[in-house]
Amino acid sequence: MTTQGTEQGTEYDVVVAGAGPVGLFLAAELRLGGALRVLVVERLTEVDETIKAGWINHPSVVALNRRGLLPELAAVREAVQERLRAFQGVSDGDGTTERPRFAGHFAGIMLDPELFDDSGPEWADTDPAAGPGLVLPQAELERALGRWAEQLGVEVRRGVELTGFTQDADGVAVQLDGRTVRAGWLVGCDGGRSTVRRLAGFAFPGTAPEITGYQALAELSGAERLKAGWNTTDVGTYVHGPFPGRVLTVEFDSPPADRYAPVTAEELEASLRRVSGVPEVRVTGVRTATRFTDNARQATEYRRGRVLLAGDAAHVHSPFGGQGLNLGLGDALNLGWKLAAVVGGRAPESLLDTYTAERHPIGAWVLDWTRAQIALMRPDRHARALRRVVEDLAGSGTGTTYLVNRVSGVWQRYDLPGGHPLTGASAPDLPLSDGTRLGEHLHTGRPLLLGLTGSPAPDTLTAPYTDRLTVLTTTCPTRPTLKALLVRPDGFVAWAADTDGEEDEDGLAAALERWVGGSGAGARALRTGGSGGARGRLHEADP
């Protein structure tokens, strides 16, 4: 399609709308997967410094570590920990400060890390760098992902707004501030008010908001009377900390009339006084502030033709626990390699149907998880009575462990073909006999066939995939009965076998063809929706 204003001779494999963490992570994953020309467009000219999520959960930490990105973030993480120590006054008794421990919260009910039991099977051989998660400001993560995407050759255009698009059987014509570029695919990572979602006509059902929330970094006076941490009052909920000047309020008096208008010091101060009951507190300046609600909606599908959605464009909900950022990173990790395989001709377009099938159930769970927290935070007597029950449960080892496991995301897995307990789970970070760990072999974004008996896989199985598959033969001292794993580029196990089980070369052959690329039975099953596909059920790890 050529129109006046078209960039002549410019054609992209994929255009990504939105240069937040989700869009940048997706773009980098596309490049790792072999997509040659990836363009990211963003209407903002700089990284958004507005205070947002400050926590990345277990799957997000594991994903970053598997791409070799955690060392770059080490200094940022340590600076954050220093601010936490200073605010909380955490000391080991001899004048030196210790690293504060954090296990998360549920509806502002803080979870005691001392009560958390990580001996369950879901934590066996997990990435030692991860734990339940890490405190990390979203803006710093966005900067790191931007540098990584640039190193991989992603083209990022800031100060450019997507204003429209048309799609046909061969691609998408994307309108960018009066000019048009041609792309094979368009992915909307452009937030809760997604232009891509609206123009493509995605259905976006859900539940209406009932709260007005504020989150800010502000200059305060009289703050010494504010209690640190999460606090419930007769009016709502407020948070003070964990950094100096950080405040959050929640009031159940209906959503704001204009959620996106600038937040003034007077408005923030009034809300903080109402909820905290501290009339002396003053907001003398606002460094960064945002409003939020509990609007909870999810697209019924994540793909329409050659247009796909990821992150907040696909699902919105209240921000408690930073679940939105983590959910979006998981979307990008799942979609990136699949779309790259389709772009490269290694997989049929129907592979993209597994994106909705695998990610939609996890998104639906997150929406309900945030709705449950809103129900416990309401100031009415029934909700407060229920909250006291949940506080009692959370004060037990069993209750804390259950909630930490859910908050951390360690339970997440996909319903994939195969009967082995590891199939569909995030791969365990196995210590290998050569001194490395499994995760270190996923930095390139290639699928990994890991043989653990010291005998290589048959060449007849692996030969068709030598240009796109990493094959490693070694042993693992902690899992002597595990024979082999096929790990997808997103780190999830596509096939597994034990040494005491039956030979399963047919299962491995089908998994290689289905997930690594081919034109035989596995690809045909994808095209026809045959048996053994990802059926969209969300399975949890065995308790």
Side-chain angles (χ1 to χ4, degrees), residues 199-223:
L199 294 180
F202 285 88
F204 202 49
T207 51
E210 61 181 76
I211 70 169
T212 292
Y214 298 92
Q215 183 171 207
L217 283 175
E219 297 168 9
L220 305 174
S221 65

Side-chain angles (χ1 to χ4, degrees), residues 460-540:
T460 54
L461 289 178
T462 60
Y465 311 104
T466 54
D467 63 332
R468 68 196 73 163
L469 174 69
T470 298
V471 180
L472 178 62
T473 302
T474 183
T475 58
C476 173
T478 64
R479 297 283 185 107
T481 62
L482 188 59
K483 178 181 180 180
L485 294 174
L486 176 63
V487 184
R488 303 190 321 187
D490 58 2
F492 282 78
V493 177
W495 171 87
D498 291 327
T499 55
D500 57 357
E502 297 181 4
E503 292 293 327
D504 190 22
E505 287 190 5
D506 288 344
L508 175 57
L512 286 166
E513 193 170 25
R514 181 178 183 85
W515 301 115
V516 182
S519 58
R524 285 196 298 274
L526 279 168
R527 293 190 186 99
T528 61
S531 61
R535 295 179 293 281
R537 297 199 310 272
L538 184 60
H539 285 208
E540 298 186 5

Side-chain angles (χ1 to χ4, degrees), residues 60 251 384 402 454:
S60 296
E251 297 182 76
R384 290 300 162 87
Y402 169 83

Side-chain angles (χ1 to χ4, degrees), residues 125-139:
D125 285 317
T126 53
D127 190 321
L134 294 175
V135 177
L136 184 68
Q138 181 169 323

